[in-house]
């Protein structure tokens, strides 16, 4: 992970595809004096992402581009990131895979939050898999993004106990509330 230290906050873009609870949490974190980041852009691959409402609520620029043609979408995003002087990207429930070329351009400056204890359960349906396998522990991971899916260096992880009563939905809720603590802690670790 490349360190981007300085007096000014690091201008960050958050990429989302859905509800955006991690986005909202990161925005709140960014407003704390000691936070190393400011949020300058919200990107979504779909106009349906509920998290886009935080653009209006917190007065942050938003941009939507479909990944049906991911090459064109990535080109547009890269231009915008440059225009907005974005230095760092947080993926927060972003459900598209970025190309190797895109990741290379932001080498070491993209992080992701994943709802499992990586390297276990890369990809989708992590909570279903954990329950089906009768795991005792689930959790979440913040990691740096490399060209290989969910495989970059682990920055921080948080474990969550799975109870016998847990369903994929109840487990997702428990893990998500830990994600909201983990993501800011991981960002502090990266930059401080
Ligand atoms: C979070 O649980 C996040 O870890 C997961 O999607 C959810 C988004 O919630 N991300 C992935 O599965 C990425 N592969 P949010 O939109 O409320 O932040």
């Amino acid at each position: 992970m490349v360190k981007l230290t300085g007096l000014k906050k690091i201008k960050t873009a958050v990429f989302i595809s859905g509800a955006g609870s991690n986005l909202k949490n990161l925005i709140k974190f960014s407003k704390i004096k000691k936070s190393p980041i400011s949020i300058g852009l919200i990107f979504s691959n779909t106009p349906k992402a509920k998290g886009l409402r935080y653009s209006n609520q917190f007065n942050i620029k938003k941009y939507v581009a479909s990944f049906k043609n991911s090459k064109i979408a990535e080109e547009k995003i890269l231009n915008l990131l440059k225009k907005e002087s974005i230095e760092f990207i947080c993926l927060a429930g972003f459900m598209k895979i970025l190309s190797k070329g895109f990741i290379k351009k932001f080498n070491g400056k993209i992080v992701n939050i994943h709802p499992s204890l990586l390297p276990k359960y890369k990809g989708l349906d992590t909570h279903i898999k954990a329950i089906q396998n009768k795991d005792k522990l689930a959790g979440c991971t913040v990691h740096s993004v490399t060209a290989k899916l969910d495989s970059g260096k682990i920055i921080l992880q948080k474990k969550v106990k799975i109870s016998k009563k847990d369903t994929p939905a109840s487990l997702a809720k428990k893990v998500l509330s830990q994600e909201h603590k983990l993501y800011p802690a991981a960002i502090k670790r990266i930059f401080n």
Side-chain angles (χ1 to χ4, degrees), residues 88-108:
F88 188 66
I89 299 172
C90 292
L91 307 183
F94 183 63
M95 303 311 270
K96 294 288 170 189
I97 295 171
L98 294 166
S99 72
K100 282 182 191 166
F102 186 99
I103 293 165
K104 219 173 159 187
K105 290 218 168 87
F106 260 80
N107 197 11

Side-chain angles (χ1 to χ4, degrees), residues 108-127:
K109 297 171 197 167
I110 311 178
V111 289
N112 179 41
I113 190 153
H114 185 74
S116 81
L117 295 171
L118 289 173
K120 229 175 177 181
Y121 308 140
K122 294 172 184 173
L124 300 175
D125 301 326
T126 56
H127 305 304

Side-chain angles (χ1 to χ4, degrees), residues 16-23 92-95 112-115 123-124 127 150 172 175-176 179-180:
I16 62 165
S17 300
S21 70
N22 275 293
L23 164 66
F94 183 63
M95 303 311 270
N112 179 41
I113 190 153
H114 185 74
L124 300 175
H127 305 304
D150 298 330
V175 171
L176 193 60
E179 290 182 34
H180 296 161

Side-chain angles (χ1 to χ4, degrees), residues 1-4 9-15 26 29 36-42 81 84-91 102 105-112 142-145 155 183-184 186-191:
M1 178 64 55
V2 176
K3 294 233 173 195
L4 298 161
K9 287 193 178 187
I10 294 134
K11 203 171 174 193
T12 298
V14 183
F15 286 22
L26 286 177
F29 167 65
I37 60 164
S38 64
I39 311 285
L41 184 71
I42 298 165
L81 294 173
E84 297 295 332
S85 309
I86 299 291
E87 299 167 279
F88 188 66
I89 299 172
C90 292
L91 307 183
F102 186 99
K105 290 218 168 87
F106 260 80
N107 197 11
K109 297 171 197 167
I110 311 178
V111 289
N112 179 41
V142 175
H143 65 95
S144 62
V145 173
I155 297 154
Y183 220 161
I187 289 169
K188 275 192 200 160
R189 173 163 288 202
I190 293 165
F191 295 111

Side-chain angles (χ1 to χ4, degrees), residues 18-103:
S21 70
N22 275 293
L23 164 66
K24 185 183 181 196
N25 187 60
L26 286 177
I27 294 170
K28 290 200 162 162
F29 167 65
S30 74
K31 294 186 183 298
I32 298 168
K33 207 175 166 198
K34 276 192 175 169
S35 165
I37 60 164
S38 64
I39 311 285
L41 184 71
I42 298 165
F43 171 72
S44 172
N45 61 295
T46 166
K48 289 183 184 151
K50 290 215 172 92
L52 283 169
R53 68 185 145 153
Y54 299 120
S55 159
N56 284 342
Q57 193 174 324
F58 294 98
N59 199 17
I60 298 169
K61 275 189 191 163
K62 70 175 172 202
Y63 183 64
V64 179
S66 158
F67 261 58
K68 268 190 187 150
N69 187 329
S70 57
K71 212 175 163 199
I72 292 177
E74 286 189 349
E75 269 170 27
K76 285 183 185 165
I77 303 164
L78 280 170
N79 285 335
L80 187 62
L81 294 173
K82 203 171 170 188
K83 194 173 148 227
E84 297 295 332
S85 309
I86 299 291
E87 299 167 279
F88 188 66
I89 299 172
C90 292
L91 307 183
F94 183 63
M95 303 311 270
K96 294 288 170 189
I97 295 171
L98 294 166
S99 72
K100 282 182 191 166
F102 186 99
I103 293 165

